[in-house]
Amino acid sequence: MGQKTPQIYSVELNGAKDMKQTDKGDDKDKYRGLWSTCLELRKNHHKEHVTKEIDLDDHKLSNKELENKYHTNIVTGLSSTQAAELLARDGPNALSPPQETPEIIKFLKQMVGGFSILLWVGAILCWIAYGIQFSNDKSSSLDNVYLGTVLALVVILTGIFAYYQEAKSTNIMASFSKMIPQQALVIRDSEKKIIPAEQLVVGDIVEIKGGDQIPADIRLLFAQGCKVDNSSLTGESEPQPRSCEFTHDNPLETKNIGFYSTTCLEGTATGMVINTGDRTIIGHIASLASGVGNEKTPIATEIEHFVHIVAGVAISIGVLFFIIAVSMKYRVLDSIIFLIGIIVANVPEGLLATVTVTLSLTAKRMAKKNCLVKNLEAVETLGSTSIICSDKTGTLTQNRMTVAHLWFDNQIFMADTSEDHFKQTFDQSSGTWASLSKIITLCNRAEFRPGQERVPIMKRVVVGDASETALLKFSEVVLGDVMEIRKRNHKVAEIPFNSTNKFQLSIHKTDDPTDKRFLMVMKGAPEKILEKCSTIMVNGQEQPLDQSTAEAFYTAYMELGGLGERVLGFCHLYLSADEFPETYSFDVDAMNFPMSNLCFVGLLSMIDPPRSTVPDAITKCRSAGIKVIMVTGDHPITAKAIAKSVGIISANSETVEDIAKRLNIAVEQVNKQDAKAVVVTGMELKDMSEDQLDEVLTSYPEIVFARTSPQQKLIIVEGCQRQDAVVAVTGDGVNDSPALKKADIGIAMGIAGSDAAKNAADMVLLDDNFASIVTGVEEGRLIFDNLKKTIAYTLTKNIAELCPFLIYIIVGVPLPLGTITILFIDLGTDIVPSIALAYEKAESDIMNRKPRHKKKDRLVNKPLAVYSYLHIGLMQSLGAFLVYFTVYAQEGFRPSTLINLRVEWEKDFVNNLEDSYGQEWTRYQRKYLEWTGYTAFFIGIMIQQIADLIIRKTRKNSIFQQGLFRNKVIWVGIASQIIIALILSYGLGSITALNFTMLRPQYWFVAVPHAFLIWVYDEVRKLFIRLYPGSWWDKNMYY
Amino acid sequence: MRRQLRSRRAPVFPHSYRYRLDDQDEVNQNYLADEEEEAEEEARVMVVHNLEEEEEEDEVKEEEEKNEEEGQGQPTSNTWWRKLQIMNEYLWDPEKRMSLARTGLILVIYFFFYASLAAVITLCMYTLFLTIGPYMPTFTERVKPPGVMIRPFAHSLNFNFNVSEPDTWQHYVISLNGFLQGYNDSLQEEMNIDCPPGQYFIQDGNEDEDKKACQFKRSFLKNCSGLEDPTFGYSTGQPCILLKMNRIVGFRPELGDPVKVSCKVQRGDENDIRSINYYPESASFDLRYYPYYGKMTHVNYTSPLVAMHFTDVVKNQAVPVQCQLKGKGIINDVINDRFVGRIIFTLNIET
């Protein structure tokens, strides 16, 4: 208990300085760069307040000097006018929010990102084409203007949609930052006032009490029993006492400074504000975080990659056919129009919107599972995570001390540590237990807050420190109403725990009315307690404490200590009624009672137990190929014990030290390759070079970092990223925010997390539970798979949309599919189905495979592109062409007639074009037939896209294994396709601008056999993949 | 080849494995470049294979590099030989039995795939042709109601000519003469039969039987036949314009009511055209020319004509004329299609 704060905790603001020292070589400059960027940033914000380093010396000054320095008075405070002046000079006492990209820039980015540029080019080409036409012929048709406008509209609408989606997901986060405005009790004009903390200025005298958040950096002038929780700043989980004495040169170490945004846990204090807003220590760190660049998310890279592929295909085919068209003696103007058609056919206009919707659907699903995703793209990042650097306290553990083991009667008993059902099963019949339970109950100052009778014991709020709380709850569960027992055993004297005596003692009247003796109960550090004892209780009988029992005690003590548990010893003594009559007055200062020859009763050990869901989650991670690294500020032994109990260090793996101990050899002699696990302390980490860290990270599968400062997390994260890993980092403190930002996905704790951490993170765990991360990983992986399916589905029809143009140019048939019609496929019939694929269940256990390699397992890979374009895409085109040829042939134009008919077909003055039967067609009749052809081709694609949708449900399994009806949304998608097509053909068939006509019902079924063919072909593909894993077929056909 | 060389040399560097990974990544970006990746994979396989040899080769390679460093130094015959070897190995690596053969395999597989696709589409088209009769189109609703065209027609519906300058109207005459060659009385009498007027010329029998066609003699057009006035009235400022209804298989005007033609000024003063003579005088398409049985069997079918002789048109002024078909089942007012059941042209006759 009360371990002395070790060196490594002494985090100054020089996290970056530390790094400078530890890092050698190139990275030196990097960090310096980071540091200076941070300074630079600050320079821009507050030019007049640039300080190269924090040279805080206020803690060294006396009260008088302080008063002079800040022109204030400790008793009367600042005057209101002074305060107003200072407020005007320094600005409000709030952290300036991270620089936001202006909304208009965000909007414009959506307008030019992805395929938008390509479509803009298309639109502009349309207008240029019209311009040329118009200059030649004033009466030229407005078709190109319409098309250009439609394309521009498509870009703008999808841009607005993406912007809206992004804004929506950002809004979720905005709710976090809108917290209840903080208040501060300040003395101004000799009066105590409550003002919003934002209005504090330097020199203000503020009063704080237990439970308050410290409203600015303050120098304490007066403190009484004041303890603060600095964990968000330094990572220390122990409450830190605060007084007004200057105890350390380092401002972060000295006791007379309280820091902005830390919490005062108990006691009261008065302090003078010495820094406000961004000039506070927290402010410095926050700006450090904003200096760490945000990495591009893996899915963003993937989508960019995909856009590049599609744009590349579009442009190269477009240019190729432009050249072909020109060399085939088409007019340049026509060639430009072909180019537009090819671009429009190739660009999946609706896809990016679909991806956004898909991601936000998953984000919603994850939010239900307590993972709130801030940045939509982070949804997938979590899925590709290969290393999770997790906190211990609160994330892996329950964040509360719980009794874990008991030792009495020379036996170790185990207590139940699970969260909810608190059923103790150890042997409670022994007389020793009766005595021990009495000590536990009586020698305890913690109390339940009143009015919680209905709350389950484990959830009740307790006033008292962590171990006392644990003991109180433990005894309440085992014995029943503790308060009643205490009442019956009236307390007559008490010495509270302090770190010098390391024990706590109280003297009670017994509840046995016949027994007039006083009972003295005592608990404390086991060795200290044992020193005071001469007997030991075994099976309810007092026995002299001999060598063997003492040894047994030490064995038990070491064993429990080795489990990383906090061990307490318990002893008691009945004071003889003769020596201490009922009226005896105990004086705790004079200690007028015996302090030796007590009777030792037992040991009890406590630990912050792991959450019961965590071991499972870790096992899942392991089978999912994710390495879980524990990074904690806690003691290595505790860290290791927890790591072992949750499975971060698996049961049969040993550290170098373990092996050394087992074989009884020196640590240096151990073959390092035998050790699977390693515990690295912050001290060791500090002395490690980058290469050494890399070696540690690569050579041990199970790693625990203990006693690390939050700044060192950044180093660890970077180390992991050097291994090409996608790193997820959990964190809650302000100091974690640089690491959270640096990580590929930063996960902040929703309950324990500070705002700064939540701001820097990509995701917030609402229940602080590690297991939620694992569900998140599962969702992320699923969405990656499903996005693949969506993209494969969408890319397929691109060929079916492209082929008409190519055939039109080369063979000269009347245009089979119009540009507007293509847009109706891309943005009409195909939208719902491609979203529906996001609801597809996983094909196999996705948590049983390795995380995808950032650079090798691409979203759109060669097999996907080849299979979609050259296999299914081509089959689809053939099917659609069949519908097209059927329509034309049945209306009088047999395919042989169609070849090279294009020129005559498109001449406006030819109004008696002969078909295969000698019939003569006017231009408009032909045009109408052409639109019928568009509709037919459209229906052909639509019907086959239904088959495509069904085959895309799985990539490897048969559809029948997956279940045709499990994903109901797919059927909604299919229904939407058919309904939209019906509406377009029969509802809007009379609107000529849309180029749809009413199609004879039988044409709807022409492509159905082809649809079945596609299905069968894909089933065969999947069958071969399943039959011959690893074969050539598998490698080239599995996407 | 160049890429391959690079990765082959890679193991010389300390972090050979890394380098190879990088190379692969590069390739991964380049999906569609099949061949290249093939080559790359090939190279990688070999790298693993030849690790033992690698050490011996190191010296040579260092030399090679030196050469390169010295500003594209002359490649020795040795390096050329090596390159040739690599090339050879690429083509056929006896140990791995993998090489061009694999590319070949891919080609074969794709060949079969596309061949079967071609077979499927051929089958489909064949079935399609089975369902479509060669003599009669399956549907005719898109080509109905009939459109109208006029002769002479030369890319324009504006008749601008100066009576006194034969050059301005000579091409109309030539065009009409050419068009009417097929209507020469001798030809018609030779090829076609004279069928009774005023009733449909229905020819029952099998679809594939040749059908007979009714005569439409040039002489039916009287003054516009070009027989009496070889300039079709253009020389006198009284132009003849022939109107033809588009052929539609199976089209029959409503019973007993032949389609008539009537022309008038489309916009402006109706008196701009004071008189029009129609030939045949009924200004109609006689029923005997219907129905049409399609060009496969109704080979000599001659489309009936109606000639409009604009005998008295205002001169020196553009006169828009609209000629409409009239009759039951005829539509002549479709907004979008200005050639269905009507035709609009302008006459601008200068004197």
Side-chain angles (χ1 to χ4, degrees):
Chain A
M1 265 168 113
Q3 297 136 339
K4 194 78 198 111
T5 312
Q7 200 55 42
I8 193 66
Y9 270 158
S10 61
V11 173
E12 317 169 31
L13 198 100
N14 52 16
K17 216 159 65 185
D18 279 352
M19 290 176 228
K20 273 187 224 164
Q21 288 157 1
T22 47
D23 293 318
K24 296 184 176 89
D26 311 339
D27 279 301
K28 221 169 186 175
D29 294 313
K30 195 164 95 195
Y31 286 115
R32 193 168 292 138
L34 187 142
W35 184 239
S36 56
T37 344
C38 146
L39 284 175
E40 204 106 276
L41 265 171
R42 289 177 34 73
K43 239 179 248 172
N44 295 339
H45 283 180
H46 301 277
K47 282 201 172 94
E48 65 273 36
H49 285 290
V50 179
T51 43
K52 271 280 168 198
E53 294 284 334
I54 310 167
D55 43 357
L56 197 61
D57 57 358
D58 291 334
H59 52 300
K60 299 174 190 160
L61 305 179
S62 72
N63 289 3
K64 200 76 216 147
E65 286 168 318
L66 278 170
E67 279 188 329
N68 290 338
K69 184 174 175 189
Y70 293 107
H71 313 290
T72 181
N73 184 301
I74 290 175
V75 184
T76 61
L78 292 171
S79 70
S80 301
T81 45
Q82 256 180 315
E85 272 171 33
L86 286 171
L87 188 64
R89 190 193 72 187
D90 293 347
N93 172 35
L95 297 184
S96 47
Q99 256 199 329
E100 295 262 330
T101 336
E103 294 297 304
I104 184 75
I105 300 275
K106 277 191 201 165
F107 184 70
L108 287 179
K109 260 191 186 160
Q110 300 288 1
M111 290 286 160
V112 294
F115 296 117
S116 305
I117 293 275
L118 223 50
L119 292 179
W120 279 124
V121 170
I124 290 166
L125 284 179
C126 277
W127 289 323
I128 291 175
Y130 175 74
I132 297 171
Q133 277 177 338
F134 185 77
S135 62
N136 291 340
D137 176 9
K138 299 274 183 255
S139 64
S140 57
S141 84
L142 286 168
D143 283 358
N144 281 328
V145 179
Y146 293 147
L147 183 58
T149 316
V150 167
L151 288 180
L153 266 179
V154 165
V155 180
I156 291 169
L157 287 181
T158 48
I160 288 174
F161 179 77
Y163 171 77
Y164 167 75
Q165 280 290 347
E166 203 188 88
K168 215 168 71 179
S169 65
T170 324
N171 276 346
I172 301 174
M173 282 317 290
S175 56
F176 271 112
S177 46
K178 271 184 209 137
M179 306 239 300
I180 311 145
Q182 214 193 321
Q183 305 284 326
L185 182 61
V186 64
I187 300 174
R188 278 189 190 166
D189 307 323
S190 326
E191 272 176 63
K192 284 189 184 177
K193 289 180 190 167
I194 291 183
I195 61 166
E198 282 201 351
Q199 294 177 12
L200 285 182
V201 294
V202 286
D204 265 332
I205 309 298
V206 291
E207 285 187 11
I208 51 170
K209 58 178 192 309
D212 285 353
Q213 214 177 33
I214 297 176
D217 280 359
I218 57 171
R219 156 76 155 82
L220 298 183
L221 305 167
F222 163 80
Q224 191 178 34
C226 179
K227 278 188 178 171
V228 293
D229 175 10
N230 271 359
S231 59
S232 74
L233 183 65
T234 60
E236 290 163 299
S237 49
E238 300 281 328
Q240 304 292 307
R242 279 293 176 259
S243 64
C244 40
E245 291 107 42
F246 160 56
T247 56
H248 202 287
D249 267 346
N250 185 335
L252 282 115
E253 290 276 314
T254 184
K255 284 190 172 171
N256 59 356
I257 301 254
F259 298 105
Y260 180 40
S261 91
T262 60
T263 325
C264 175
L265 294 172
E266 54 186 88
T268 56
T270 308
M272 182 189 292
V273 176
I274 51 175
N275 272 320
T276 58
D278 287 332
R279 289 166 301 282
T280 58
I281 303 286
I282 289 285
H284 279 266
I285 292 168
S287 60
L288 184 68
S290 65
V292 178
N294 231 343
E295 303 272 309
K296 203 178 229 169
T297 59
I299 193 72
T301 326
E302 288 306 316
I303 287 177
E304 192 174 275
H305 176 233
F306 157 71
V307 168
H308 284 165
I309 292 173
V310 172
V313 170
I315 291 172
S316 41
I317 294 184
V319 170
L320 180 69
F321 275 83
F322 183 79
I323 294 167
I324 289 179
V326 169
S327 55
M328 281 176 77
K329 304 259 162 38
Y330 283 95
R331 286 185 303 154
V332 174
L333 189 68
D334 286 341
S335 307
I336 289 177
I337 291 167
F338 301 157
L339 184 63
I340 298 164
I342 288 171
I343 289 176
V344 172
N346 258 311
V347 172
E349 288 85 4
L351 188 63
L352 293 187
T354 316
V355 170
T356 320
V357 172
T358 309
L359 287 176
S360 61
L361 281 174
T362 309
K364 253 186 206 162
R365 211 152 47 193
M366 282 165 86
K368 265 191 210 146
K369 293 177 179 171
N370 288 321
C371 296
L372 196 59
V373 178
K374 224 174 98 181
N375 172 3
L376 273 189
E377 288 164 352
V379 171
E380 192 281 325
T381 316
L382 199 56
S384 43
T385 299
S386 51
I387 297 183
I388 301 178
C389 293
S390 176
D391 266 350
K392 180 180 77 74
T393 315
T395 313
L396 297 171
T397 66
Q398 301 170 18
N399 198 16
R400 57 179 174 85
M401 276 293 168
T402 307
V403 175
H405 291 98
L406 303 97
W407 179 82
F408 57 86
D409 295 348
N410 280 331
Q411 247 182 303
I412 291 181
F413 297 93
M414 214 151 78
D416 185 1
T417 53
S418 66
E419 285 102 328
D420 28 10
H421 55 94
F422 204 78
K423 214 168 70 208
Q424 300 301 351
T425 48
F426 60 91
D427 177 27
Q428 299 176 4
S429 58
S430 162
T432 320
W433 165 244
S435 305
L436 182 58
S437 60
K438 201 161 226 175
I439 309 172
I440 295 169
T441 318
L442 297 178
C443 189
N444 192 333
R445 285 154 51 91
E447 284 175 20
F448 290 114
R449 284 243 171 97
Q452 299 188 86
E453 286 73 20
R454 280 154 184 266
V455 184
I457 295 168
M458 298 318 293
K459 295 209 170 110
R460 289 186 201 169
V461 182
V462 177
V463 187
D465 78 13
S467 6
E468 297 231 293
T469 305
L471 291 172
L472 173 66
K473 285 184 174 169
F474 177 69
S475 46
E476 179 88 11
V477 166
V478 182
L479 301 171
D481 196 341
V482 170
M483 304 317 271
E484 184 56 36
I485 298 173
R486 286 198 200 157
K487 235 182 252 167
R488 278 190 271 130
N489 297 275
H490 181 70
K491 194 194 282 175
V492 289
E494 176 178 53
I495 302 175
F497 185 88
N498 71 49
S499 45
T500 18
N501 323 346
K502 299 213 164 181
F503 67 81
Q504 177 178 357
L505 173 154
S506 60
I507 300 170
H508 301 259
K509 287 181 180 163
T510 58
D511 51 357
D512 183 356
T514 58
D515 194 348
K516 292 289 175 223
R517 293 178 297 174
F518 284 103
L519 173 63
M520 186 173 91
V521 289
M522 189 188 215
K523 74 169 182 214
E527 67 276 13
K528 295 273 173 195
I529 298 289
L530 195 72
E531 274 171 21
K532 298 181 170 59
C533 296
S534 60
T535 58
I536 183 164
M537 187 177 271
V538 178
N539 296 328
Q541 304 299 317
E542 253 180 70
Q543 290 176 2
L545 185 70
D546 53 25
Q547 194 60 36
S548 68
T549 35
E551 243 163 52
F553 160 84
Y554 275 111
T555 323
Y557 181 29
M558 292 314 288
E559 190 176 340
L560 295 177
L563 293 173
E565 297 176 1
R566 183 183 290 177
V567 189
L568 290 178
F570 294 83
C571 65
H572 72 181
L573 182 69
Y574 283 96
L575 303 176
S576 70
D578 310 334
E579 227 176 304
F580 302 95
E582 229 173 308
T583 50
Y584 189 85
S585 100
F586 293 95
D587 184 346
V588 290
D589 294 322
M591 297 246 209
N592 54 354
F593 41 83
M595 284 299 290
S596 57
N597 294 330
L598 313 177
C599 172
F600 191 85
V601 180
L603 291 174
L604 204 147
S605 67
M606 287 168 294
I607 198 163
D608 179 8
R611 287 164 180 268
S612 51
T613 47
V614 169
D616 241 15
I618 302 262
T619 320
K620 264 193 179 172
C621 280
R622 184 143 301 153
S623 60
I626 302 170
K627 192 165 170 180
V628 183
I629 296 178
M630 181 195 274
V631 183
T632 176
D634 222 326
H635 198 278
I637 293 176
T638 321
K640 193 172 150 195
I642 292 292
K644 276 212 150 152
S645 65
V646 297
I648 288 182
I649 296 179
S650 45
N652 49 5
S653 50
E654 295 174 306
T655 63
V656 173
E657 291 78 14
D658 288 338
I659 297 174
K661 206 170 143 197
R662 178 165 55 86
L663 302 175
N664 227 342
I665 49 174
V667 172
E668 291 76 26
Q669 290 174 298
V670 177
N671 181 4
K672 283 196 176 163
Q673 300 198 327
D674 293 344
K676 269 175 71 189
V678 68
V679 178
V680 183
T681 64
M683 292 295 278
E684 291 164 358
L685 186 58
K686 208 170 178 179
D687 297 332
M688 270 184 200
S689 71
E690 215 169 84
D691 287 343
Q692 281 170 317
L693 177 61
D694 287 358
E695 201 194 313
V696 168
L697 288 172
T698 45
S699 50
Y700 297 101
E702 297 167 351
I703 307 173
V704 170
F705 288 99
R707 279 263 185 271
T708 48
S709 68
Q711 271 87 356
Q712 283 178 320
K713 251 190 192 175
L714 189 61
I715 300 175
I716 296 167
V717 170
E718 283 175 333
C720 295
Q721 282 174 337
R722 277 196 298 275
Q723 323 298 320
D724 259 351
V726 177
V727 188
V729 171
T730 68
D732 43 23
V734 176
N735 258 13
D736 289 339
S737 45
L740 288 175
K741 256 212 152 151
K742 180 74 203 167
D744 297 282
I745 176 161
I747 303 168
M749 297 299 137
I751 304 169
S754 60
D755 277 2
K758 283 178 192 165
N759 262 329
D762 305 295
M763 215 177 86
V764 179
L765 276 193
L766 293 179
D767 57 356
D768 289 13
N769 189 349
F770 182 83
S772 307
I773 301 179
V774 180
T775 37
V777 169
E778 207 168 342
E779 289 289 342
R781 289 188 172 190
L782 183 59
I783 201 61
F784 186 79
D785 283 5
N786 285 348
L787 275 183
K788 250 188 183 177
K789 295 173 185 172
T790 303
I791 288 177
Y793 170 77
T794 316
L795 283 189
T796 304
K797 61 153 194 298
N798 277 5
I799 285 297
E801 290 168 353
L802 181 68
C803 283
F805 267 96
L806 308 190
I807 299 289
Y808 168 72
I809 294 172
I810 307 245
V811 183
V813 297
L815 186 61
L817 187 67
T819 317
I820 304 266
T821 324
I822 290 176
L823 290 177
F824 271 105
I825 298 175
D826 285 359
L827 298 170
T829 54
D830 261 7
I831 290 287
V832 184
S834 46
I835 293 172
L837 281 172
Y839 288 93
E840 202 51 51
K841 298 273 181 302
E843 274 175 74
S844 53
D845 194 355
I846 36 176
M847 292 307 274
N848 268 338
R849 56 173 200 231
K850 296 254 161 296
R852 73 183 184 92
H853 191 284
K854 242 199 298 195
K855 288 179 182 157
K856 280 190 209 152
D857 307 324
R858 313 300 310 242
L859 183 64
V860 179
N861 49 19
K862 195 177 102 186
L864 188 147
V866 169
Y867 185 66
S868 299
Y869 276 147
L870 298 183
H871 293 225
I872 302 297
L874 265 181
M875 292 169 84
Q876 224 177 48
S877 322
L878 290 182
F881 266 109
L882 184 69
V883 191
Y884 162 84
F885 280 128
T886 307
V887 167
Y888 273 78
Q890 296 208 326
E891 292 291 347
F893 289 93
R894 298 162 74 94
S896 48
T897 319
L898 284 178
I899 291 167
N900 271 327
L901 191 63
R902 192 192 78 90
V903 180
E904 283 297 304
W905 182 276
E906 288 182 353
K907 274 182 187 160
D908 278 332
F909 54 80
V910 175
N911 278 290
N912 54 349
L913 185 75
E914 217 175 271
D915 67 11
S916 318
Y917 295 92
Q919 308 183 92
E920 290 165 318
W921 295 69
T922 68
R923 171 69 180 127
Y924 187 77
Q925 283 168 339
R926 293 196 308 265
K927 224 178 204 170
Y928 200 75
L929 180 60
E930 192 176 317
W931 294 340
T932 312
Y934 293 175
T935 315
F937 209 96
F938 166 81
I939 299 294
I941 291 181
M942 189 277 289
I943 294 291
Q944 291 176 91
Q945 276 294 81
I946 294 177
D948 192 24
L949 181 64
I950 289 172
I951 66 167
R952 299 301 184 183
K953 276 163 72 76
T954 59
R955 297 185 293 151
K956 193 175 198 167
N957 287 351
S958 162
I959 294 300
F960 302 103
Q961 285 170 303
Q962 181 80 352
L964 202 48
F965 299 98
R966 242 172 69 195
N967 181 356
K968 304 273 187 304
V969 190
I970 289 279
W971 293 96
V972 174
I974 291 175
S976 85
Q977 268 180 311
I978 296 173
I979 290 168
I980 291 176
L982 282 172
I983 291 175
L984 285 175
S985 172
Y986 296 117
L988 306 174
S990 48
I991 302 171
T992 52
L994 298 182
N995 301 354
F996 278 98
T997 64
M998 294 193 197
L999 205 63
R1000 283 173 183 273
Q1002 62 262 41
Y1003 293 141
W1004 288 65
F1005 300 97
V1006 175
V1008 170
H1010 275 260
F1012 276 103
L1013 188 68
I1014 287 176
W1015 189 348
V1016 170
Y1017 178 66
D1018 194 60
E1019 280 294 327
V1020 170
R1021 176 189 74 94
K1022 289 168 185 165
L1023 180 70
F1024 277 116
I1025 288 173
R1026 291 196 304 273
L1027 284 182
Y1028 306 107
S1031 63
W1032 176 87
W1033 185 269
D1034 184 19
K1035 274 185 214 142
N1036 285 275
M1037 301 296 270
Y1038 180 65
Y1039 52 88
Chain B
M1 224 45 242
R2 182 100 198 107
R3 296 165 68 87
Q4 194 186 341
L5 276 176
R6 222 196 305 145
S7 49
R8 226 183 113 75
R9 209 180 293 135
V12 180
F13 300 107
H15 301 293
S16 56
Y17 187 60
R18 270 246 176 113
Y19 275 44
R20 267 181 281 139
L21 275 182
D22 290 348
D23 267 9
Q24 195 195 5
D25 295 336
E26 227 176 283
V27 172
N28 263 329
Q29 316 235 329
N30 230 331
Y31 294 73
L32 299 167
D34 271 22
E35 298 277 317
E36 241 172 7
E37 172 149 352
E38 284 303 313
E40 194 67 25
E41 250 168 56
E42 226 39 67
R44 247 181 288 135
V45 169
M46 285 188 304
V47 164
V48 178
H49 244 267
N50 301 340
L51 268 180
E52 306 102 70
E53 299 167 32
E54 220 59 76
E55 281 178 17
E56 299 164 28
E57 289 171 14
D58 274 359
E59 271 186 29
V60 185
K61 279 180 184 160
E62 267 161 44
E63 234 178 68
E64 218 178 286
E65 269 169 41
K66 245 184 235 163
N67 280 344
E68 272 185 20
E69 274 165 33
E70 284 162 19
Q72 317 297 319
Q74 294 286 317
T76 60
S77 60
N78 198 3
T79 57
W80 276 111
W81 174 239
R82 193 166 302 286
K83 279 179 189 176
L84 232 137
Q85 259 186 338
I86 293 161
M87 178 72 121
N88 193 32
E89 274 171 37
Y90 168 65
L91 290 174
W92 177 248
D93 179 353
E95 272 180 74
K96 270 275 163 185
R97 306 189 126 264
M98 285 206 301
S99 61
L100 263 194
R102 227 173 79 178
T103 326
L105 178 71
I106 293 168
L107 289 179
V108 167
I109 286 181
Y110 271 88
F111 175 77
F112 276 111
F113 175 62
Y114 288 136
S116 36
L117 275 191
V120 166
I121 194 73
T122 316
L123 187 74
C124 289
M125 293 305 270
Y126 179 71
T127 343
L128 169 64
F129 286 128
L130 286 186
T131 63
I132 294 168
Y135 309 108
M136 296 282 274
T138 319
F139 305 113
T140 49
E141 89 275 4
R142 292 278 182 260
V143 74
K144 274 179 194 166
V148 168
M149 267 312 278
I150 49 168
R151 289 288 188 276
F153 179 72
H155 298 189
S156 164
L157 291 167
N158 298 323
F159 292 85
N160 287 324
F161 63 92
N162 192 326
V163 177
S164 52
E165 292 172 32
D167 280 354
T168 58
W169 45 261
Q170 200 59 49
H171 61 278
Y172 295 126
V173 175
I174 294 167
S175 164
L176 279 175
N177 255 325
F179 176 70
L180 287 175
Q181 284 308 310
Y183 291 85
N184 282 340
D185 290 16
S186 53
L187 190 70
Q188 287 293 323
E189 276 161 12
E190 184 192 326
M191 308 287 291
N192 295 340
I193 57 164
D194 188 15
C195 26
Q199 66 184 67
Y200 296 120
F201 181 50
I202 294 174
Q203 304 174 64
D204 291 324
N206 284 334
E207 255 192 347
D208 56 350
E209 272 175 35
D210 278 347
K211 304 288 190 297
K212 295 193 175 65
C214 289
Q215 294 173 356
F216 189 96
K217 292 184 188 163
R218 190 171 176 167
S219 52
F220 293 174
L221 300 176
K222 310 267 166 64
N223 288 341
C224 284
S225 64
L227 298 173
E228 287 131 51
D229 177 3
T231 65
F232 296 93
Y234 285 85
S235 56
T236 55
Q238 297 170 311
C240 275
I241 290 172
L242 307 181
L243 191 138
K244 178 173 89 53
M245 196 161 81
N246 280 354
R247 284 193 298 267
I248 294 166
V249 174
F251 175 77
R252 286 191 243 175
E254 297 286 316
L255 203 64
D257 197 4
V259 178
K260 284 204 158 89
V261 177
S262 100
C263 297
K264 60 177 184 218
V265 177
Q266 190 214 5
R267 266 190 324 255
D269 190 354
E270 288 205 6
N271 295 324
D272 285 352
I273 300 174
R274 275 180 288 273
S275 86
I276 309 171
N277 291 339
Y278 298 98
Y279 309 107
E281 281 85 354
S282 60
S284 64
F285 301 101
D286 197 286
L287 293 181
R288 60 178 158 167
Y289 299 105
Y290 302 98
Y292 173 50
Y293 286 101
K295 73 174 175 186
M296 283 284 279
T297 48
H298 220 164
V299 183
N300 290 325
Y301 180 80
T302 317
S303 291
L305 303 171
V306 170
M308 288 100 57
H309 197 192
F310 295 91
T311 46
D312 193 356
V313 184
V314 169
K315 302 288 188 306
N316 300 323
Q317 160 186 347
V319 181
V321 185
Q322 172 169 274
C323 291
Q324 286 179 312
L325 300 181
K326 298 249 163 98
K328 276 190 192 159
I330 294 290
I331 296 170
N332 53 22
D333 54 359
V334 180
I335 300 162
N336 287 318
D337 194 346
R338 306 206 301 171
F339 293 90
V340 162
R342 59 173 171 165
I343 189 160
I344 297 158
F345 52 89
T346 50
L347 292 174
N348 188 0
I349 307 166
E350 286 165 34
T351 49

